[in-house]
Amino acid sequence: MLYLAIALLAWTSSVSGLAMQYLPWPTIRPGAEFKTFAHYSRASYILKDRWDCVPSCQIPETAGTMVDYKWHHISPASVGYIAHNDYTRIIVVAFRGSADANDWVQDSEFSFDPWPAHVPGSMVHHGFLSAYRAVAPNVTSAISRLVAQHPTYKLVFTGHSLGGAESALCAVDILSRYPQLKQRTFIYTYGMPRVGNDVWANMVEKMGVPAYRVVYESDLVPHIPFQWLGYMHFSQEVWIHGNRTVFCGKGQESQQCSGSVAIGDYNIPDHSQYSLANWMFTR
C-alpha cells in the first residue's frame, strides 16, 4: 500500500503541474527497477491474456499493468508482450527466453548476419535476428501506437536469455525508425547471450540510451557465443555477485565482473535466479 500511495502521489503531481516531464522511477529504494524489470521479464514465460500471473504480476512494483499486445510465433520461436502501467508511467516491451537453458549449450547456430543495414560492419547472431524479424512488423507497429498514446511514458525493453537478445535488437530497430524516442528509452536484459560483434556492441553504446545487462553470479548463458567466434557484449554489465549488485562501468566486458569467472565455474542453475536475486547495490 505504501508503494502504491507513493506512485499515485507522483503520478497525480505530474499530471497537475509537470505535464510532459519524464518522472524518475517511483521506487522504494535505489536500484529497485532492476528487480521490477526482472519480474516483467519473468512474466513473459507465464503471462496469459490478463496481468494476473503469479508471482511477477502480483508484486507492488508491477501492479496495475495493462497488457496491450501479445505474440507467440512458433518457428522461428519468438514470444512476448507489450504492456503499459499508468502508475509508473512506463511502456514495457518484453521478450521471452528459451524454455530450457540447456538449449544454449546444444545450439551450434552461431553464424552472423549483417544488421542493421545503416551500420557498416555490424554483425548479429543469425538465429536471434531471424526470431526477431518474424515478429518485428507487428511488434514495432504496436509500439508506435502506444508511444503516440502515451507521449510522456518511458519505453523499456526487457527480456531474459534469448528474450534479452531480441529486446536489444528491437530497441535498436525502434530507435532507427523513431530516433526521437531516444531520451525515453531504456534497456534491461537478464542473462542475455552475446548478440553481435564489436561493431554492433559499439553501436549500441553510442545510441546513448541507458542499457543494463544483468548477469547473475556464474550464469553460463552470458558467456556464449564465445568471444573467439567474434562476439562481444555491449556495456554496461550489472553483476549480481556475493549478495552484492555491482555496476561494472563502460568498456563492454569488464574482467572485474563476470568476466573474472573461470570457464570451469560457469553453470546453468544460475540462469534461473534473476527474479529471485537479493538486490543489494554498491556504486
Side-chain angles (χ1 to χ4, degrees), residues 2 51 58 61 72 140 163 197 219 278:
L2 176 61
W51 193 256
Q58 309 297 323
E61 291 86 347
H72 190 144
T140 55
N197 65 357
D219 181 2
N278 182 18

Side-chain angles (χ1 to χ4, degrees), residues 55-79:
S56 294
C57 300
Q58 309 297 323
I59 65 170
E61 291 86 347
T62 68
T65 298
M66 302 292 292
V67 179
D68 297 284
Y69 177 68
K70 286 185 61 187
W71 65 93
H72 190 144
H73 195 273
I74 302 299
S75 182
S78 181
V79 180

Side-chain angles (χ1 to χ4, degrees), residues 31 56 64 78 90 131 134 136 150 206-207:
S56 294
S78 181
I90 59 173
H150 305 286
K206 289 178 181 177
M207 290 194 310

Side-chain angles (χ1 to χ4, degrees), residues 28 44 66 79 90 100 130 143 146 159 161 183 188 199 232 253 263 276-277 281:
I28 297 173
S44 65
M66 302 292 292
V79 180
I90 59 173
D100 185 354
S130 296
I143 294 171
L146 271 179
S161 195
Q183 72 178 121
Y188 291 82
V199 178
M232 179 69 68
E253 302 205 30
I263 293 178
L276 305 175
F281 289 85

Side-chain angles (χ1 to χ4, degrees), residues 10-272:
W11 177 76
T12 304
S13 298
S14 72
V15 171
S16 61
L18 292 174
M20 300 302 292
Q21 295 293 317
Y22 299 128
L23 296 177
W25 297 113
T27 58
I28 297 173
R29 57 184 174 80
E33 67 271 20
F34 288 92
K35 173 185 175 182
T36 299
F37 295 113
H39 278 284
Y40 273 116
S41 293
R42 187 177 188 276
S44 65
Y45 288 90
I46 53 180
L47 185 66
K48 302 299 182 183
D49 294 325
R50 300 174 57 189
W51 193 256
D52 56 4
C53 63
V54 178
S56 294
C57 300
Q58 309 297 323
I59 65 170
E61 291 86 347
T62 68
T65 298
M66 302 292 292
V67 179
D68 297 284
Y69 177 68
K70 286 185 61 187
W71 65 93
H72 190 144
H73 195 273
I74 302 299
S75 182
S78 181
V79 180
Y81 69 90
I82 302 171
H84 74 280
N85 189 305
D86 292 327
Y87 294 102
T88 53
R89 298 172 69 86
I90 59 173
I91 297 166
V92 177
V93 182
F95 287 79
R96 194 194 76 180
S98 171
D100 185 354
N102 286 287
D103 291 346
W104 292 116
V105 181
Q106 300 165 0
D107 187 3
S108 60
E109 178 57 87
F110 293 150
S111 61
F112 281 119
D113 283 348
W115 192 87
H118 67 277
V119 182
S122 177
M123 308 287 287
V124 299
H125 187 285
H126 170 77
F128 302 161
L129 183 61
S130 296
Y132 171 64
R133 278 177 163 166
V135 300
N138 289 339
V139 169
T140 55
S141 178
I143 294 171
S144 177
R145 289 195 302 270
L146 271 179
V147 296
Q149 292 170 12
H150 305 286
T152 63
Y153 286 22
K154 291 182 171 69
L155 175 61
V156 181
F157 295 86
T158 192
H160 170 256
S161 195
L162 165 65
E166 287 192 71
S167 70
L169 292 168
C170 187
V172 169
D173 192 16
I174 283 291
L175 291 179
S176 69
R177 298 168 187 246
Y178 310 105
Q180 69 274 19
L181 297 178
K182 185 172 74 171
Q183 72 178 121
R184 298 170 58 180
T185 300
F186 297 76
I187 302 171
Y188 291 82
T189 72
Y190 301 84
M192 181 183 74
R194 294 185 179 101
V195 177
N197 65 357
D198 58 340
V199 178
W200 151 266
N202 290 331
M203 181 268 297
V204 173
E205 293 179 16
K206 289 178 181 177
M207 290 194 310
V209 303
Y212 300 101
R213 181 175 53 80
V214 183
V215 179
Y216 184 84
E217 292 290 0
S218 303
D219 181 2
L220 164 67
V221 173
H223 299 284
I224 57 176
F226 299 110
Q227 285 182 287
W228 57 266
L229 292 171
Y231 285 84
M232 179 69 68
H233 272 306
F234 57 79
S235 58
Q236 80 166 322
E237 178 185 348
V238 179
W239 190 31
I240 309 170
H241 175 61
N243 292 322
R244 296 182 305 128
T245 304
V246 182
F247 290 81
C248 304
K250 297 296 183 181
Q252 294 172 348
E253 302 205 30
S254 171
Q255 295 305 304
Q256 304 303 311
C257 288
S258 68
S260 65
V261 177
I263 293 178
D265 292 332
Y266 297 164
N267 71 75
I268 291 174
D270 283 349
H271 192 56
S272 61

